[in-house]
Amino acid sequence: MKSRKLLMIPGPIEFEPSVLRAMGEETTSHVAGNFIESFGNAIDLMKKVWLSPLGQPFIVAGSGTLAMDMAAANLIELNDNALVISTGYFGDRFRNILERYGANVTYLEAAVGEVVSLETIEKELRSKTYKLVTITHVDTSTGVLVDPKPIAELAKKYNALSILDGVCSVAGEEIKQDEWGLDIVLTASQKAVGVPPGLALLVASQKAIDIWKNRKSPVQNYYADWSNWLPIMQAYEKRQPSYFGTPPVNLIRALETSLEIINAEGIENRIFKHKKLASAFREAIKSIGLHIIPINDTMTANTLSAIYYPENIDGGTFLKKVYENDIILAGGLLPEIKLKYFRVGHMGSLSSNDLISVLSAIEKALAELNYNFEIGKSLKTFQGLI
Ligand SMILES: *Cc1c(COP(=O)(O)O)cnc(C)c1O
Protein backbone atom coordinates (compact mmCIF):
# COMPACT_ATOMS: atom_id res chain seq x y z
CA MET A 1 0.00 0.00 0.00
CA LYS A 2 1.17 3.46 -0.83
CA SER A 3 1.47 5.48 2.34
CA ARG A 4 2.49 8.82 0.93
CA LYS A 5 1.69 11.74 3.21
CA LEU A 6 0.52 14.99 1.70
CA LEU A 7 2.57 17.87 3.09
CA MET A 8 0.11 20.77 3.37
CA ILE A 9 1.91 23.15 5.71
CA PRO A 10 3.08 26.70 4.93
CA GLY A 11 6.48 25.44 3.81
CA PRO A 12 8.11 23.14 3.07
CA ILE A 13 5.45 22.06 0.60
CA GLU A 14 4.87 19.31 -1.95
CA PHE A 15 7.48 19.67 -4.68
CA GLU A 16 7.23 18.84 -8.37
CA PRO A 17 8.85 15.46 -9.18
CA SER A 18 11.06 17.15 -11.78
CA VAL A 19 12.36 19.57 -9.12
CA LEU A 20 13.20 16.65 -6.84
CA ARG A 21 14.85 14.82 -9.70
CA ALA A 22 16.98 17.91 -10.40
CA MET A 23 18.02 17.86 -6.71
CA GLY A 24 19.12 14.27 -7.16
CA GLU A 25 21.28 14.84 -10.21
CA GLU A 26 24.97 14.17 -9.81
CA THR A 27 26.63 17.05 -7.97
CA THR A 28 28.96 18.94 -10.23
CA SER A 29 31.66 21.51 -9.58
CA HIS A 30 30.44 25.02 -8.91
CA VAL A 31 32.68 26.16 -11.74
CA ALA A 32 31.57 23.50 -14.25
CA GLY A 33 30.05 24.77 -17.48
CA ASN A 34 26.63 23.20 -16.93
CA PHE A 35 26.37 24.62 -13.42
CA ILE A 36 27.43 28.10 -14.54
CA GLU A 37 24.59 27.98 -17.07
CA SER A 38 22.07 26.80 -14.42
CA PHE A 39 23.09 29.51 -11.96
CA GLY A 40 22.95 32.21 -14.64
CA ASN A 41 19.60 30.95 -15.85
CA ALA A 42 18.18 30.90 -12.30
CA ILE A 43 19.26 34.55 -11.89
CA ASP A 44 17.59 35.50 -15.20
CA LEU A 45 14.43 33.61 -14.23
CA MET A 46 14.20 35.30 -10.84
CA LYS A 47 13.94 38.68 -12.57
CA LYS A 48 11.02 37.32 -14.61
CA VAL A 49 9.17 35.73 -11.71
CA TRP A 50 9.70 38.80 -9.49
CA LEU A 51 8.65 41.04 -12.43
CA SER A 52 11.83 42.96 -11.81
CA PRO A 53 13.83 43.22 -15.04
CA LEU A 54 15.91 46.01 -13.45
CA GLY A 55 16.49 44.27 -10.12
CA GLN A 56 19.59 42.56 -8.78
CA PRO A 57 18.92 38.98 -7.68
CA PHE A 58 20.81 37.27 -4.87
CA ILE A 59 20.77 33.49 -4.41
CA VAL A 60 22.50 32.46 -1.19
CA ALA A 61 22.50 29.26 0.87
CA GLY A 62 20.32 29.80 3.92
CA SER A 63 16.66 30.11 4.86
CA GLY A 64 14.19 32.98 4.56
CA THR A 65 15.47 34.45 7.78
CA LEU A 66 18.87 34.90 6.14
CA ALA A 67 17.19 36.85 3.33
CA MET A 68 15.66 39.14 5.99
CA ASP A 69 19.03 39.34 7.74
CA MET A 70 20.76 40.19 4.48
CA ALA A 71 18.36 43.07 3.75
CA ALA A 72 18.79 44.50 7.25
CA ALA A 73 22.56 43.98 7.48
CA ASN A 74 23.28 45.68 4.16
CA LEU A 75 20.90 48.61 4.49
CA ILE A 76 20.93 49.52 8.18
CA GLU A 77 23.60 51.64 9.85
CA LEU A 78 23.68 52.51 13.54
CA ASN A 79 20.69 54.64 14.62
CA ASP A 80 18.87 54.53 11.28
CA ASN A 81 15.10 54.71 11.70
CA ALA A 82 13.17 51.68 10.48
CA LEU A 83 9.40 51.27 10.35
CA VAL A 84 8.08 47.73 10.75
CA ILE A 85 4.50 47.06 9.73
CA SER A 86 3.49 43.90 11.51
CA THR A 87 0.60 41.52 10.98
CA GLY A 88 2.00 38.74 13.14
CA TYR A 89 5.00 36.64 14.10
CA PHE A 90 7.28 37.59 11.20
CA GLY A 91 6.91 41.34 11.77
CA ASP A 92 8.27 40.72 15.22
CA ARG A 93 11.18 38.80 13.72
CA PHE A 94 12.02 41.69 11.38
CA ARG A 95 12.02 44.05 14.34
CA ASN A 96 14.51 41.83 16.17
CA ILE A 97 16.80 41.57 13.16
CA LEU A 98 16.78 45.31 12.47
CA GLU A 99 17.46 46.13 16.12
CA ARG A 100 20.42 43.74 16.10
CA TYR A 101 22.08 46.01 13.50
CA GLY A 102 21.41 49.12 15.55
CA ALA A 103 18.22 50.44 13.96
CA ASN A 104 15.70 52.51 15.94
CA VAL A 105 12.59 50.54 15.15
CA THR A 106 9.06 51.88 15.24
CA TYR A 107 6.68 48.95 15.35
CA LEU A 108 3.16 49.33 13.98
CA GLU A 109 1.24 46.22 14.90
CA ALA A 110 -2.19 45.30 13.55
CA ALA A 111 -4.80 43.59 15.71
CA VAL A 112 -4.86 39.82 15.08
CA GLY A 113 -6.46 39.18 11.68
CA GLU A 114 -6.26 42.79 10.55
CA VAL A 115 -3.86 45.11 8.72
CA VAL A 116 -2.35 48.47 9.73
CA SER A 117 -4.21 51.34 8.02
CA LEU A 118 -2.49 53.47 5.39
CA GLU A 119 -3.36 56.57 7.45
CA THR A 120 -1.44 55.21 10.43
CA ILE A 121 1.53 54.36 8.22
CA GLU A 122 1.56 57.78 6.54
CA LYS A 123 1.28 59.59 9.86
CA GLU A 124 4.33 57.74 11.11
CA LEU A 125 6.35 58.31 7.92
CA ARG A 126 5.57 62.03 8.13
CA SER A 127 6.77 62.25 11.74
CA LYS A 128 10.48 61.58 11.08
CA THR A 129 12.97 60.44 8.46
CA TYR A 130 12.91 56.70 7.93
CA LYS A 131 15.63 54.76 6.15
CA LEU A 132 13.29 51.89 5.38
CA VAL A 133 9.87 50.34 5.84
CA THR A 134 9.28 46.60 6.12
CA ILE A 135 6.06 44.89 5.09
CA THR A 136 5.17 41.24 5.67
CA HIS A 137 3.21 40.42 2.52
CA VAL A 138 1.60 37.30 3.95
CA ASP A 139 2.18 36.71 7.61
CA THR A 140 2.34 32.95 7.83
CA SER A 141 1.26 33.03 11.47
CA THR A 142 -2.10 34.69 10.77
CA GLY A 143 -2.81 34.15 7.07
CA VAL A 144 -3.20 37.92 6.74
CA LEU A 145 -2.43 39.43 3.33
CA VAL A 146 -1.22 43.03 3.13
CA ASP A 147 -1.49 45.08 -0.08
CA PRO A 148 2.13 46.21 -0.54
CA LYS A 149 1.51 48.57 -3.48
CA PRO A 150 0.17 51.63 -1.63
CA ILE A 151 2.72 51.15 1.16
CA ALA A 152 5.58 51.08 -1.37
CA GLU A 153 4.15 54.32 -2.83
CA LEU A 154 4.07 55.92 0.61
CA ALA A 155 7.64 54.80 1.31
CA LYS A 156 8.75 56.38 -1.95
CA LYS A 157 6.85 59.61 -1.17
CA TYR A 158 8.75 59.91 2.13
CA ASN A 159 12.04 58.78 0.63
CA ALA A 160 12.30 55.50 2.54
CA LEU A 161 13.22 52.13 1.06
CA SER A 162 10.45 49.52 0.96
CA ILE A 163 11.27 45.94 1.90
CA LEU A 164 8.79 43.17 1.26
CA ASP A 165 9.03 39.97 3.26
CA GLY A 166 7.58 37.80 0.54
CA VAL A 167 8.64 34.50 2.06
CA CYS A 168 5.09 33.21 1.97
CA SER A 169 4.01 35.10 -1.15
CA VAL A 170 6.56 35.24 -3.98
CA ALA A 171 5.15 33.14 -6.85
CA GLY A 172 1.85 32.75 -4.99
CA GLU A 173 0.52 36.30 -4.58
CA GLU A 174 0.63 39.20 -7.02
CA ILE A 175 3.90 41.17 -6.82
CA LYS A 176 5.14 43.60 -9.46
CA GLN A 177 8.43 44.65 -7.93
CA ASP A 178 9.59 47.26 -10.46
CA GLU A 179 6.15 48.65 -11.28
CA TRP A 180 5.22 49.01 -7.62
CA GLY A 181 8.62 50.43 -6.71
CA LEU A 182 9.50 47.82 -4.09
CA ASP A 183 13.20 48.06 -3.21
CA ILE A 184 13.65 44.57 -1.81
CA VAL A 185 11.49 41.51 -2.36
CA LEU A 186 12.80 38.49 -0.51
CA THR A 187 11.77 34.87 -0.05
CA ALA A 188 12.98 31.35 0.69
CA SER A 189 13.05 28.35 -1.60
CA GLN A 190 10.68 26.09 0.35
CA LYS A 191 7.50 28.11 0.06
CA ALA A 192 5.61 29.13 -3.10
CA VAL A 193 8.80 29.05 -5.16
CA GLY A 194 8.65 25.27 -4.77
CA VAL A 195 12.18 24.09 -3.99
CA PRO A 196 13.36 22.16 -0.91
CA PRO A 197 14.56 24.31 2.02
CA GLY A 198 18.01 25.85 1.84
CA LEU A 199 17.99 28.96 -0.33
CA ALA A 200 17.58 32.61 0.65
CA LEU A 201 16.36 34.54 -2.39
CA LEU A 202 16.27 38.30 -2.71
CA VAL A 203 15.93 40.88 -5.47
CA ALA A 204 17.20 44.40 -4.76
CA SER A 205 16.44 47.61 -6.67
CA GLN A 206 19.23 49.78 -8.01
CA LYS A 207 18.28 52.36 -5.37
CA ALA A 208 18.82 49.83 -2.57
CA ILE A 209 22.18 48.84 -4.09
CA ASP A 210 23.21 52.51 -4.32
CA ILE A 211 22.29 53.15 -0.69
CA TRP A 212 24.33 50.13 0.34
CA LYS A 213 27.29 51.32 -1.80
CA ASN A 214 27.22 54.70 -0.07
CA ARG A 215 27.30 53.33 3.47
CA LYS A 216 29.59 55.10 5.90
CA SER A 217 30.21 52.03 8.06
CA PRO A 218 31.02 48.43 7.12
CA VAL A 219 28.23 45.85 6.97
CA GLN A 220 28.06 44.24 10.41
CA ASN A 221 27.63 40.69 9.07
CA TYR A 222 30.42 39.02 7.16
CA TYR A 223 28.45 36.24 5.44
CA ALA A 224 25.51 38.43 4.38
CA ASP A 225 27.60 41.36 3.11
CA TRP A 226 26.72 42.19 -0.49
CA SER A 227 30.40 43.05 -1.09
CA ASN A 228 30.93 39.31 -1.01
CA TRP A 229 27.89 38.27 -3.03
CA LEU A 230 27.28 40.97 -5.63
CA PRO A 231 30.39 40.07 -7.69
CA ILE A 232 29.33 36.42 -7.61
CA MET A 233 25.83 37.16 -8.89
CA GLN A 234 27.20 39.48 -11.58
CA ALA A 235 29.73 36.88 -12.72
CA TYR A 236 27.27 33.98 -13.01
CA GLU A 237 24.74 36.22 -14.74
CA LYS A 238 27.45 36.83 -17.36
CA ARG A 239 28.01 33.06 -17.40
CA GLN A 240 31.38 33.29 -15.70
CA PRO A 241 32.49 31.23 -12.70
CA SER A 242 33.34 32.91 -9.44
CA TYR A 243 33.77 31.97 -5.79
CA PHE A 244 33.00 33.38 -2.40
CA GLY A 245 31.25 30.55 -0.54
CA THR A 246 30.45 27.25 -2.22
CA PRO A 247 26.99 27.54 -3.76
CA PRO A 248 24.51 24.72 -3.03
CA VAL A 249 24.88 23.25 -6.48
CA ASN A 250 21.98 20.78 -6.34
CA LEU A 251 19.55 23.29 -4.83
CA ILE A 252 20.36 25.90 -7.45
CA ARG A 253 19.76 23.35 -10.20
CA ALA A 254 16.40 22.58 -8.55
CA LEU A 255 15.63 26.30 -8.32
CA GLU A 256 16.31 26.69 -12.02
CA THR A 257 13.89 23.81 -12.71
CA SER A 258 11.12 25.21 -10.53
CA LEU A 259 11.46 28.76 -11.85
CA GLU A 260 11.28 27.35 -15.38
CA ILE A 261 8.01 25.60 -14.51
CA ILE A 262 6.60 28.81 -12.97
CA ASN A 263 7.73 30.91 -15.89
CA ALA A 264 6.31 28.47 -18.44
CA GLU A 265 2.95 28.45 -16.68
CA GLY A 266 3.08 32.26 -16.58
CA ILE A 267 3.27 34.12 -13.29
CA GLU A 268 -0.18 35.65 -13.79
CA ASN A 269 -1.80 32.27 -14.41
CA ARG A 270 -0.05 30.92 -11.37
CA ILE A 271 -1.34 33.74 -9.14
CA PHE A 272 -4.83 33.31 -10.56
CA LYS A 273 -4.75 29.59 -9.75
CA HIS A 274 -3.71 30.29 -6.17
CA LYS A 275 -6.56 32.77 -5.79
CA LYS A 276 -9.16 30.45 -7.22
CA LEU A 277 -8.18 27.43 -5.15
CA ALA A 278 -7.76 29.49 -1.98
CA SER A 279 -11.13 31.16 -2.24
CA ALA A 280 -12.91 27.85 -2.92
CA PHE A 281 -11.09 26.31 0.05
CA ARG A 282 -12.07 29.19 2.35
CA GLU A 283 -15.72 28.93 1.34
CA ALA A 284 -15.59 25.19 1.93
CA ILE A 285 -14.13 25.69 5.41
CA LYS A 286 -16.73 28.32 6.26
CA SER A 287 -19.56 26.08 4.99
CA ILE A 288 -18.97 23.67 7.88
CA GLY A 289 -18.99 26.47 10.42
CA LEU A 290 -15.26 27.02 10.89
CA HIS A 291 -13.76 30.51 11.11
CA ILE A 292 -10.54 31.89 9.70
CA ILE A 293 -8.31 34.48 11.36
CA PRO A 294 -8.30 37.30 8.76
CA ILE A 295 -11.38 39.44 9.27
CA ASN A 296 -12.28 39.85 5.61
CA ASP A 297 -11.47 38.49 2.17
CA THR A 298 -9.36 41.43 1.03
CA MET A 299 -6.95 40.72 3.91
CA THR A 300 -6.82 36.96 3.39
CA ALA A 301 -3.81 35.16 1.93
CA ASN A 302 -4.09 32.85 -1.04
CA THR A 303 -1.04 30.81 -0.05
CA LEU A 304 -2.29 29.50 3.29
CA SER A 305 -5.33 29.48 5.56
CA ALA A 306 -5.26 30.01 9.33
CA ILE A 307 -8.35 28.39 10.80
CA TYR A 308 -9.68 28.37 14.37
CA TYR A 309 -10.53 24.99 15.87
CA PRO A 310 -14.21 24.75 16.73
CA GLU A 311 -15.11 25.26 20.42
CA ASN A 312 -14.30 22.24 22.58
CA ILE A 313 -12.14 20.52 19.97
CA ASP A 314 -8.64 19.73 21.16
CA GLY A 315 -6.16 20.89 18.53
CA GLY A 316 -3.54 18.23 19.20
CA THR A 317 -6.06 15.41 18.87
CA PHE A 318 -7.53 16.93 15.74
CA LEU A 319 -4.15 17.29 14.00
CA LYS A 320 -3.21 13.75 14.98
CA LYS A 321 -6.38 12.39 13.41
CA VAL A 322 -5.78 14.38 10.24
CA TYR A 323 -2.24 12.99 10.15
CA GLU A 324 -3.57 9.44 10.46
CA ASN A 325 -5.37 10.19 7.21
CA ASP A 326 -2.02 11.03 5.62
CA ILE A 327 -2.42 14.80 5.61
CA ILE A 328 0.18 16.91 7.39
CA LEU A 329 -1.15 20.26 8.60
CA ALA A 330 0.52 22.85 10.85
CA GLY A 331 -0.50 24.04 14.30
CA GLY A 332 -0.69 27.69 15.35
CA LEU A 333 2.36 29.97 15.47
CA LEU A 334 1.26 33.32 16.89
CA PRO A 335 2.05 33.04 20.61
CA GLU A 336 -1.14 34.68 21.94
CA ILE A 337 -3.48 32.24 20.14
CA LYS A 338 -1.10 29.40 19.34
CA LEU A 339 -3.31 26.59 20.63
CA LYS A 340 -6.53 27.94 19.17
CA TYR A 341 -5.94 27.47 15.46
CA PHE A 342 -4.25 25.46 12.74
CA ARG A 343 -2.78 26.26 9.35
CA VAL A 344 -3.13 24.74 5.90
CA GLY A 345 -0.55 25.64 3.26
CA HIS A 346 -1.93 25.79 -0.29
CA MET A 347 0.83 27.12 -2.47
CA GLY A 348 3.17 26.00 -5.22
CA SER A 349 2.34 23.08 -7.46
CA LEU A 350 -1.04 22.58 -5.88
CA SER A 351 -3.98 20.73 -7.38
CA SER A 352 -7.65 20.82 -6.46
CA ASN A 353 -7.32 17.13 -5.58
CA ASP A 354 -4.88 18.02 -2.84
CA LEU A 355 -7.42 20.33 -1.25
CA ILE A 356 -10.20 17.79 -1.64
CA SER A 357 -8.04 15.33 0.29
CA VAL A 358 -7.42 17.98 2.97
CA LEU A 359 -11.12 18.79 3.34
CA SER A 360 -11.97 15.12 3.52
CA ALA A 361 -9.42 14.50 6.28
CA ILE A 362 -10.59 17.58 8.20
CA GLU A 363 -14.21 16.44 8.02
CA LYS A 364 -13.34 12.91 9.10
CA ALA A 365 -11.38 14.17 12.10
CA LEU A 366 -14.14 16.59 13.11
CA ALA A 367 -16.79 13.89 12.81
CA GLU A 368 -14.78 11.57 15.04
CA LEU A 369 -14.49 14.36 17.58
CA ASN A 370 -18.29 14.76 17.57
CA TYR A 371 -18.33 18.20 16.00
CA ASN A 372 -21.80 18.88 14.70
CA PHE A 373 -21.93 19.56 10.95
CA GLU A 374 -23.31 18.18 7.70
CA ILE A 375 -20.86 15.55 6.48
CA GLY A 376 -19.70 16.19 2.92
CA LYS A 377 -20.75 19.82 2.92
CA SER A 378 -17.24 21.29 2.58
CA LEU A 379 -16.43 18.93 -0.30
CA LYS A 380 -19.64 19.80 -2.07
CA THR A 381 -18.99 23.52 -1.57
CA PHE A 382 -15.42 23.24 -2.84
CA GLN A 383 -16.37 21.23 -5.90
CA GLY A 384 -19.13 23.68 -6.73
CA LEU A 385 -16.60 26.49 -6.87
CA ILE A 386 -13.72 25.04 -8.88
C1 LIG B 1 8.64 31.15 6.64
C2 LIG B 1 8.72 32.62 6.74
C3 LIG B 1 9.87 33.29 7.17
C4 LIG B 1 11.08 32.56 7.66
O1 LIG B 1 11.63 31.76 6.69
P1 LIG B 1 12.61 30.56 7.12
O2 LIG B 1 12.95 29.94 5.80
O3 LIG B 1 11.83 29.69 8.03
O4 LIG B 1 13.78 31.17 7.79
C5 LIG B 1 9.87 34.66 7.19
N1 LIG B 1 8.79 35.36 6.83
C6 LIG B 1 7.66 34.76 6.43
C7 LIG B 1 6.51 35.60 6.03
C8 LIG B 1 7.59 33.38 6.37
O5 LIG B 1 6.48 32.78 5.95
Side-chain angles (χ1 to χ4, degrees):
M1 279 256 278
K2 213 170 168 183
S3 66
R4 183 172 66 91
K5 305 256 183 239
L6 202 53
L7 185 58
M8 300 297 286
I9 66 173
I13 60 169
E14 287 289 325
F15 302 117
E16 288 283 353
S18 59
V19 171
L20 295 175
R21 277 198 300 276
M23 279 290 291
E25 284 172 15
E26 199 173 288
T27 304
T28 185
S29 157
H30 58 289
V31 295
N34 58 345
F35 177 69
I36 294 169
E37 180 53 35
S38 285
F39 203 157
N41 196 26
I43 290 170
D44 294 345
L45 285 162
M46 272 179 74
K47 292 188 192 182
K48 290 187 179 158
V49 169
W50 267 244
L51 296 178
S52 183
L54 304 174
Q56 174 59 56
F58 290 87
I59 302 172
V60 177
S63 79
T65 305
L66 177 72
M68 298 166 82
D69 206 9
M70 186 176 254
N74 284 282
L75 297 174
I76 288 294
E77 295 191 67
L78 193 62
N79 295 324
D80 280 341
N81 293 323
L83 182 61
V84 171
I85 300 162
S86 178
T87 43
Y89 184 91
F90 289 104
D92 188 52
R93 176 165 297 182
F94 233 146
R95 165 169 61 181
N96 291 331
I97 294 171
L98 291 160
E99 283 178 344
R100 185 64 64 93
Y101 294 110
N104 297 318
V105 176
T106 303
Y107 192 66
L108 295 178
E109 188 177 23
V112 174
E114 300 184 41
V115 301
V116 178
S117 76
L118 290 175
E119 294 72 51
T120 308
I121 296 167
E122 180 152 22
K123 189 164 159 246
E124 195 49 56
L125 284 170
R126 217 186 289 126
S127 74
K128 59 178 169 231
T129 305
Y130 279 98
K131 176 82 161 279
L132 56 84
V133 179
T134 74
I135 310 155
T136 313
H137 196 186
V138 168
D139 200 297
T140 319
S141 69
T142 53
V144 168
L145 173 73
V146 173
D147 181 1
K149 190 175 172 223
I151 303 176
E153 280 163 9
L154 279 179
K156 194 177 249 170
K157 180 173 167 191
Y158 292 93
N159 210 16
L161 295 168
S162 51
I163 300 187
L164 189 69
D165 173 352
V167 180
C168 203
S169 67
V170 172
E173 304 280 0
E174 186 180 37
I175 302 173
K176 296 180 172 165
Q177 180 167 1
D178 286 6
E179 193 184 312
W180 295 355
L182 287 160
D183 290 297
I184 304 273
V185 176
L186 61 89
T187 190
S189 51
Q190 78 275 15
K191 304 215 183 162
V193 167
V195 179
L199 292 175
L201 305 170
L202 180 153
V203 176
S205 70
Q206 205 46 59
K207 190 164 132 205
I209 298 283
D210 288 344
I211 285 182
W212 160 73
K213 274 190 182 147
N214 292 319
R215 287 176 66 99
K216 294 186 185 64
S217 58
V219 170
Q220 293 299 304
N221 180 320
Y222 181 73
Y223 184 73
D225 190 341
W226 284 342
S227 313
N228 294 322
W229 294 110
L230 185 59
I232 308 302
M233 299 306 140
Q234 288 171 335
Y236 279 94
E237 189 173 357
K238 283 190 256 158
R239 308 303 193 259
Q240 289 162 3
S242 191
Y243 169 76
F244 166 64
T246 308
V249 170
N250 298 59
L251 273 169
I252 290 174
R253 183 57 198 108
L255 174 68
E256 179 195 20
T257 306
S258 191
L259 292 175
E260 256 165 1
I261 293 170
I262 295 168
N263 195 47
E265 182 178 355
I267 189 72
E268 282 179 10
N269 294 333
R270 187 120 174 148
I271 303 307
F272 178 77
K273 195 174 108 187
H274 278 79
K275 263 191 191 153
K276 189 173 170 193
L277 289 172
S279 90
F281 182 71
R282 277 200 294 279
E283 291 313 312
I285 283 294
K286 289 179 193 167
S287 76
I288 52 171
L290 301 188
H291 300 283
I292 61 171
I293 292 182
I295 60 162
N296 70 43
D297 273 357
T298 62
M299 299 177 191
T300 307
N302 298 297
T303 49
L304 86 149
S305 295
I307 306 163
Y308 287 108
Y309 300 116
E311 290 278 312
N312 306 322
I313 296 280
D314 175 67
T317 314
F318 167 80
L319 290 177
K320 187 163 168 283
K321 285 187 178 293
V322 171
Y323 182 81
E324 282 161 7
N325 278 298
D326 295 331
I327 306 288
I328 305 175
L329 302 182
L333 181 62
L334 193 70
E336 52 265 48
I337 50 170
K338 198 172 161 50
L339 299 176
K340 295 193 170 148
Y341 74 106
F342 65 102
R343 296 172 301 147
V344 180
H346 35 76
M347 63 187 114
S349 68
L350 183 75
S351 83
S352 56
N353 289 336
D354 295 336
L355 289 177
I356 287 170
S357 306
V358 171
L359 288 167
S360 165
I362 288 175
E363 282 205 3
K364 188 159 188 289
L366 289 174
E368 285 170 14
L369 292 167
N370 301 316
Y371 172 64
N372 188 18
F373 70 108
E374 183 189 325
I375 290 180
K377 180 95 183 276
S378 74
L379 292 157
K380 210 190 235 170
T381 305
F382 185 80
Q383 282 166 327
L385 289 169
I386 51 157

